[in-house]
Amino acid sequence: MSEPVVLGIESTCDETAAAVVRGRRLLSNVVASSMDEHARYGGVIPEIASRAHAEAFVPVVSKALADADMTIGDVDAIAVSAGPGLAGCLAVGVSGAKALAWAANKPIYGINHVIGHIAVTQLQFGPFPPDTLALIVSGGHTSLLHVEDVVRHIDVVGTTLDDAAGECFDKVARLLGFPYPGGPHIDRHAQAGDPHAIAVPQGLTQGKAGREHPYDFSFSGVKTAVARWIEERQDRGEEIPVDDVCASLADSVATVLARKAMRGCEQYGSRTLIVGGGFSANSQLRAKLLEVGAEHGVEVRVPELRLCTDNGAMVAMLGVNLVEAGVAPSAPDFPIDSAMPLDRVWVIGQFVCP
């Protein structure tokens, strides 16, 4: 087969997205976000997000095909996020993709949304070298993965034991009075602050816990420590140095992520670290990873900002990988899996495939 053309559809949370990829070329990438509708509630409301997906599905997919100068008949396959994510949101995207595949008589792949964050870097950096490590950082996931084969063999090296990095930022942002989502606000204020102004703990890096969980992540204690520091200052009637709080928090989280990722690279002999997920847009994390990577002789592949957050390109790119590998498409009755494990790449019928 010549370079496969895949339409990717994403609806795991609050972005309705679609993209068309041919081989390793992105032909279109359309995203409609319902973030503004959730901001007033301080977090994503699944029912509101699901309704927004239903309203945006047809316009977004139609525009993605139009921007690629194609019709649905021109694509070789359809890929759609089947998990992990919010069940109602997943159901909208998967139902729409199944209907489209059935009407156009196209094969469909229900893919793991998180693994899509790994695959999308191929659009910018090309194929994966052997023994690649991947750091996934988003609102709900902080995971370190060993990628032997992005289609057939991914091992979970480390994962979140409580709060993910994005959750930690959002909760501290709420204490500081920032609107949802809080991550971009902390990022902006951190750029003007002193990263060493406040002693912020680094979760699972010291003592017995650090030895037992060398590659796992825990940011609940970090959130609690910063929250107590803020509350104590408020109780004394003292001003909160917002920029310094943000800079100290961002530096602590970025340092933990970078050090554990480098330790994983040493363990697996990896000379390449792929970074993905919405939190990888954080400027402090990007800078820290590139700095530490250079010190350890590891190439750090951080995608451009538009490919960090949820998008259809990552779904389509993983779909291209599946088509090129000659794996069987998903059956028409494949289920969504809101808690899909990270070592499962795509779904076939009632069975999941690693």
Side-chain angles (χ1 to χ4, degrees):
M1 175 187 285
S2 58
E3 291 185 317
V5 177
V6 176
L7 168 66
I9 298 172
E10 156 67 21
S11 70
T12 57
C13 190
D14 59 334
E15 278 94 13
T16 311
V20 178
V21 170
R22 182 197 298 274
R24 299 297 181 275
R25 288 185 297 131
L26 182 60
L27 304 182
S28 67
N29 192 28
V30 180
V31 180
S33 175
S34 60
M35 179 61 69
D36 291 345
E37 299 179 52
H38 305 287
R40 72 184 74 174
Y41 303 105
V44 175
I45 306 301
E47 292 81 2
I48 293 175
S50 299
R51 183 170 65 247
H53 288 309
E55 294 172 351
F57 183 91
V58 171
V60 166
V61 171
S62 298
K63 181 167 174 51
L65 289 169
D67 287 354
D69 195 24
M70 290 183 176
T71 67
I72 190 61
D74 296 319
V75 307
D76 298 307
I78 297 171
V80 61
S81 293
L86 299 174
C89 298
L90 290 166
V92 174
V94 168
S95 297
K98 284 180 176 179
L100 196 59
W102 179 83
N105 193 28
K106 299 292 180 180
I108 185 170
Y109 292 87
I111 65 99
N112 188 314
H113 153 92
V114 176
I115 306 306
H117 281 301
I118 301 174
V120 75
T121 59
Q122 295 171 85
L123 291 170
Q124 190 173 341
F125 299 101
F128 301 129
D131 289 317
T132 293
L133 235 68
L135 176 67
I136 305 298
V137 276
S138 65
H141 296 277
T142 303
S143 302
L144 194 60
L145 309 176
H146 177 233
V147 184
E148 185 173 315
D149 182 328
V150 74
V151 170
R152 295 189 173 91
H153 194 168
I154 293 178
D155 294 316
V156 178
V157 178
T159 191
T160 311
L161 300 186
D162 41 56
D163 284 352
E167 290 173 307
C168 174
F169 266 43
D170 283 338
K171 290 174 181 177
V172 171
R174 191 176 300 120
L175 289 172
L176 294 173
F178 297 150
Y180 179 85
H185 298 281
I186 289 183
D187 190 339
R188 186 170 63 253
H189 282 274
Q191 294 175 33
D194 178 2
H196 307 295
I198 301 168
V200 178
Q202 297 180 352
L204 290 185
T205 59
Q206 304 296 323
K208 181 179 178 182
R211 292 191 298 272
E212 292 180 350
H213 301 277
Y215 307 112
D216 292 321
F217 303 95
S218 170
F219 296 108
S220 178
V222 175
K223 170 205 66 183
T224 300
V226 174
R228 286 178 177 169
W229 190 92
I230 293 172
E231 290 164 355
E232 289 172 1
R233 298 272 299 198
Q234 290 173 333
D235 290 343
R236 295 195 299 265
E238 299 176 3
E239 183 179 352
I240 306 299
V242 174
D243 292 347
D244 289 346
V245 170
C246 292
S248 299
L249 172 64
D251 182 72
S252 170
V253 171
T255 298
V256 169
L257 292 170
R259 286 180 178 173
K260 293 209 171 201
M262 289 303 117
R263 182 183 296 173
C265 287
E266 292 175 1
Q267 171 70 26
Y268 284 89
S270 302
R271 311 312 302 169
T272 304
L273 176 70
I274 293 172
V275 187
F279 193 81
S280 63
N282 177 266
S283 62
Q284 291 82 29
L285 176 60
R286 295 168 78 91
K288 180 70 71 174
L289 286 169
L290 291 170
E291 173 191 334
V292 175
E295 293 173 356
H296 287 76
V298 173
E299 178 193 7
V300 178
R301 297 183 175 185
V302 186
E304 56 184 292
L305 293 179
R306 66 173 180 151
L307 299 180
C308 291
T309 52
D310 294 345
N311 59 81
M314 65 188 203
V315 181
M317 189 65 250
L318 184 52
V320 167
N321 280 265
L322 291 164
V323 173
E324 289 178 338
V327 302
S330 302
D333 66 342
F334 77 86
I336 63 170
D337 185 352
S338 60
M340 187 182 293
L342 298 186
D343 58 356
R344 294 174 178 171
V345 179
W346 86 104
V347 183
I348 292 185
Q350 297 299 318
F351 300 96
V352 285
C353 294

